[in-house]
Amino acid sequence: AELIATANAISTPGKGILAADESVGTIGKRFAPIGVENVEENRRIYRQLLFKTEGLGEYISGAICFEETLFHKADDGTSFVELMRSQGIVPGIKVDK
């Protein structure tokens, strides 16, 4: 029953899945051209910007996350997982390395 509910939530018509699963190396390639140092705090701030976007849940039903993301918290102490869930976004984890 839980799997069916999750599948139904993720496949909500009109919504997509956010691929926010950049590894440390991949996100470093995104940061380098704009002069942002690839350190954990900068990655946390970048992901916070994504997950705190007002109205994100209106367009995104699920998010694929890099493992590091699941342990991060927003500036106010709210976990990123809770930020996603509060907007109706199902958080998931990237399992390949």
Side-chain angles (χ1 to χ4, degrees):
E2 184 179 349
L3 180 58
I4 292 170
T6 300
N8 286 335
I10 291 173
S11 61
T12 300
K15 292 187 178 185
I17 297 174
L18 174 65
D21 61 338
E22 299 97 341
S23 66
V24 173
T26 300
I27 207 166
K29 292 175 186 175
R30 308 247 190 292
F31 285 172
I34 57 171
V36 174
E37 186 180 8
N38 185 11
V39 295
E40 186 172 359
E41 178 62 4
N42 287 341
R43 294 189 300 271
R44 184 197 70 80
I45 292 168
Y46 167 74
R47 291 175 179 134
Q48 175 178 263
L49 177 70
L50 291 174
F51 300 132
K52 288 196 84 164
T53 298
E54 189 174 331
L56 183 65
E58 294 175 37
Y59 306 98
I60 301 297
S61 59
I64 305 166
C65 301
F66 186 63
E67 183 178 14
E68 173 181 82
T69 308
L70 301 180
F71 303 102
H72 283 163
K73 294 182 179 181
D75 293 339
D76 66 4
T78 306
S79 74
F80 285 0
V81 169
E82 182 52 39
L83 283 176
M84 287 181 264
R85 286 184 176 153
S86 71
Q87 295 195 61
I89 300 169
V90 178
I93 186 169
K94 172 183 179 171
V95 293
D96 63 329
K97 298 252 177 189

